[in-house]
């Protein structure tokens, strides 16, 4: 670029040089809005009902196991694809809960959270030109996962109020370029738990088009009203074409530990392990050790977890309904998607979320974060309820300042 051209753009040589170095891929998405809302909550001293992390203590037993592991000097790298004790425990638990037998030596890769497990899996299976089917609304990471791995996303709608999908639409999204479908059950942000019939329909498409199912099952134990979590890998014909993503974060209330994993057939695992090895080398060794203990907790632990979350879900449904939100009752996970139309707010989900955090003191996630086309989420916001009672009470108190069915934003303000 000549000095004249530079002068005409008005950009400094440093800015231009920096710009030339940036990746076009990263320019096509933003930082996580969910995590940004946590920063805004801190900035405005607001109650954080945005990011899905528990604000109550993790189990003493699991914490003690981590402390013990550090004292025992498990402080150096674990095997890159995961400490043997943890992989063995993951294999035992998958067989115990879903009846699926996997080889911990060849089919499990422990990663830095399920976020890395998902990204490493995508990078491990995607080639240029490959398409990935993604239901939406979807957890926001799946968009950047597709972009960074080089996949072209094909979105299929989950339609409220029950978040069902149209079988024709899903069938049309599959084709010769389809490498995988991402299925998140129980689902973030909708709370949908996919039924056996739905999973079988997806299975048949995967088999027909020789595609993988990459299933994010991180909320497997957080289910309500008799809903049943079914792992895709447990369905006949899917054992060898499913990559199951899971982790400790939600089940053991340790989201900051960053211990997750991918369970995949041997060839796919070989590929995932290579990506993981060069991305992060390995997850925290002492925390993997604690994971091996956590995964052996008795069934009563998981029953209690689901019971506690059921009470929180119902409490939060009450709070939100009283405040004027239309709620989509979740059957699983720990979020409530809401419709904000009742507020007649003069603006979209983003301005409503900004108003809530700045003026009401509540951080939520704007609905558009979960859609490819932001306008689809313009009348939705997501609340999480993985919070202790005092946080839920503070949320109720703050929301009392909101007036539903007000005519305009100015009235709200
Ligand atoms: N899953 C959580 C959510 O949706 C956040 C996870 C994260 O920020 N890594 O809020």
């Amino acid at each position: 670029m000549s000095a004249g051209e530079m002068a005409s753009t008005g950009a400094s040589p440093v800015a231009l040089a920096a710009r030339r170095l940036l990746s076009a891929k990263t320019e096509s998405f933003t930082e996580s809005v969910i995590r940004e809302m946590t920063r805004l909550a801190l900035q405005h001293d607001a109650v954080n009902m945005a990011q899905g992390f528990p604000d109550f203590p993790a189990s003493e037993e699991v914490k003690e196991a981590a402390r013990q592991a550090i004292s025992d000097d498990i402080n150096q790298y674990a095997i890159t694809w995961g400490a043997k004790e943890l992989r063995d425990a993951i294999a035992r638990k998958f067989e115990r809960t879903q009846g699926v037998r996997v080889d911990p030596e060849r089919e499990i890769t422990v990663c830095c959270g399920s976020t890395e497990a998902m990204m490493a899996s995508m990078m491990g299976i995607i080639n240029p030109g490959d398409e990935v089917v993604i239901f939406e609304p979807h957890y926001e990471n799946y968009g950047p996962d597709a972009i960074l791995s080089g996949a072209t996303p094909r979105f299929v709608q989950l339609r409220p109020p029950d978040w069902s999908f149209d079988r024709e639409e899903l069938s049309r999204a599959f084709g010769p370029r389809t490498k995988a479908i991402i299925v998140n059950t129980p689902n973030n942000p909708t709370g949908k738990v996919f039924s056996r019939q739905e999973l079988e329909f997806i299975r048949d498409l995967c088999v027909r088009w020789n595609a993988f199912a990459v299933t994010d099952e991180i909320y497997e134990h957080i289910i309500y009203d008799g809903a049943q979590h079914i792992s895709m890998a447990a369905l006949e014909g899917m054992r060898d074409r499913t990559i199951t993503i899971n982790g400790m974060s939600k089940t053991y209330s340790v989201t900051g530990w960053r211990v997750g994993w991918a369970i995949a057939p041997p060839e796919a695992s070989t590929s995932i392990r290579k990506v993981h090895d060069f991305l992060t080398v390995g997850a925290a060794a002492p925390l993997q050790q604690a994971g091996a203990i956590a995964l052996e907790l008795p069934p009563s632990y998981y029953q209690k977890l689901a019971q506690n979350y059921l009470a929180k879900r119902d409490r939060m449904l009450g709070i939100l309904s009283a405040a004027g939100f239309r709620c989509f009752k979740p059957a699983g996970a720990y979020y409530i998607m809401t419709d904000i139309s009742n507020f007649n707010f003069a603006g979209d989900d983003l301005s409503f979320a900004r108003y809530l955090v700045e003026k009401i003191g509540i951080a939520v996630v704007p609905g558009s974060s979960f859609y490819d086309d932001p306008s689809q989420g313009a009348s939705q916001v997501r609340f999480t309820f993985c919070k202790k009672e005092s946080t839920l009470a503070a949320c109720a108190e703050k929301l009392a300042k909101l007036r539903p069915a007000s005519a305009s934003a100015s009235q709200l303000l």
Side-chain angles (χ1 to χ4, degrees):
M1 182 179 280
S2 71
E5 280 172 312
M6 211 134 49
S8 69
T9 63
S12 76
V14 172
L16 284 170
R19 185 164 180 77
R20 247 186 260 127
L21 290 175
L22 299 180
S23 144
K25 281 180 177 173
T26 58
E27 289 209 345
S28 64
F29 59 90
T30 63
E31 274 187 51
S32 158
V33 175
I34 296 176
R35 297 181 273 283
E36 185 189 347
M37 290 312 297
T38 287
R39 293 194 289 273
L40 283 178
L42 289 168
Q43 187 183 326
H44 295 283
D45 199 19
V47 182
N48 190 352
M49 307 306 284
Q51 194 178 8
F53 63 85
D55 66 351
F56 45 81
S59 122
E60 261 319 309
E61 207 172 335
V62 177
K63 288 190 291 193
E64 181 50 34
R67 284 190 289 263
Q68 190 60 50
I70 291 176
S71 296
D72 290 348
D73 251 321
I74 302 181
N75 293 314
Q76 310 306 326
Y77 304 122
I79 291 174
T80 183
W81 52 80
K84 179 167 167 48
E85 290 88 340
L86 177 56
R87 282 182 288 114
D88 287 350
I90 292 167
R92 276 195 299 271
K93 182 162 178 287
F94 206 30
E95 183 167 7
R96 197 163 66 230
T97 56
Q98 293 292 328
V100 184
R101 275 184 99 139
V102 294
D103 179 356
E105 293 308 320
R106 299 192 307 150
E107 298 184 293
I108 296 175
T109 309
V110 177
C111 293
C112 297
S114 63
T115 292
E116 190 216 335
M118 175 64 84
M119 184 69 88
S121 298
M122 294 282 282
M123 294 183 112
I125 62 170
I126 297 297
N127 286 309
D130 285 350
E131 293 182 358
V132 171
V133 179
I134 303 176
F135 289 108
E136 70 174 0
H138 61 80
Y139 176 46
E140 61 174 8
N141 283 32
Y142 305 154
D145 285 340
I147 294 166
L148 290 174
S149 65
T152 303
R154 296 284 305 263
F155 295 102
V156 171
Q157 303 306 306
L158 295 174
R159 296 171 200 283
D162 61 351
W163 307 104
S164 56
F165 58 86
D166 180 84
R167 292 186 167 204
E168 281 299 306
E169 189 190 341
L170 182 63
S171 303
R172 279 198 305 275
F174 276 75
R177 289 172 185 274
T178 308
K179 177 55 72 73
I181 178 169
I182 298 179
V183 181
N184 172 211
T185 182
N187 186 261
N188 174 10
T190 65
K192 173 186 176 70
V193 177
F194 283 68
S195 69
R196 181 174 293 281
Q197 289 76 6
E198 287 174 319
L199 293 172
E200 285 177 349
F201 186 79
I202 296 167
R203 184 259 321 265
D204 293 347
L205 287 169
C206 289
V207 171
R208 175 166 171 214
W209 295 105
N210 193 25
F212 282 105
V214 184
T215 67
D216 177 349
E217 304 185 9
I218 192 90
Y219 301 99
E220 66 173 326
H221 292 290
I222 305 176
I223 40 178
Y224 315 112
D225 309 327
Q228 196 199 349
H229 169 67
I230 300 166
S231 279
M232 186 65 102
L235 297 193
E236 206 190 321
M238 288 308 283
R239 162 77 177 68
D240 291 328
R241 58 171 71 253
T242 301
I243 300 176
T244 308
I245 307 291
N246 214 323
M248 293 185 70
S249 292
K250 316 295 184 181
T251 303
Y252 306 104
S253 306
V254 288
T255 62
W257 282 21
R258 316 311 300 129
V259 179
W261 51 85
I263 305 174
E267 317 73 54
S269 284
T270 302
S271 193
I272 293 166
R273 285 175 172 193
K274 282 194 263 184
V275 177
H276 160 71
D277 191 7
F278 288 103
L279 267 181
T280 63
V281 179
L287 304 183
Q288 292 193 50
Q289 203 62 30
I293 307 283
L295 267 71
E296 299 294 347
L297 287 172
S300 57
Y301 173 84
Y302 304 98
Q303 283 153 12
K304 186 136 183 278
L305 181 82
Q307 260 166 25
N308 288 346
Y309 274 126
L310 174 67
K312 290 181 192 302
R313 179 200 68 171
D314 291 346
R315 168 95 163 105
M316 196 62 186
L317 284 170
I319 292 169
L320 294 175
S321 306
F325 291 87
R326 186 173 159 234
C327 298
F328 301 105
K329 187 175 175 179
Y334 51 44
Y335 307 99
I336 298 176
M337 258 309 229
T338 68
D339 184 298
I340 55 174
S341 311
N342 281 351
F343 294 99
N344 289 328
F345 190 82
D348 56 12
D349 60 312
L350 290 170
S351 47
F352 188 75
R354 199 172 312 122
Y355 168 76
L356 281 185
V357 74
E358 288 175 4
K359 308 286 184 203
I360 303 293
I362 301 281
V364 299
V365 180
S368 54
S369 305
F370 305 106
Y371 293 90
D372 182 48
D373 170 5
S375 70
Q376 281 188 274
S379 63
Q380 295 169 349
V381 299
R382 188 199 78 173
F383 287 79
T384 187
F385 54 84
C386 53
K387 306 294 173 187
K388 55 189 182 227
E389 170 50 31
S390 57
T391 308
L392 300 181
C395 174
E397 202 184 306
K398 301 234 181 212
L399 284 181
K401 285 188 272 172
L402 253 185
R403 283 184 291 281
S406 309
S408 70
S410 56
Q411 267 179 280
L412 275 169
L413 287 159

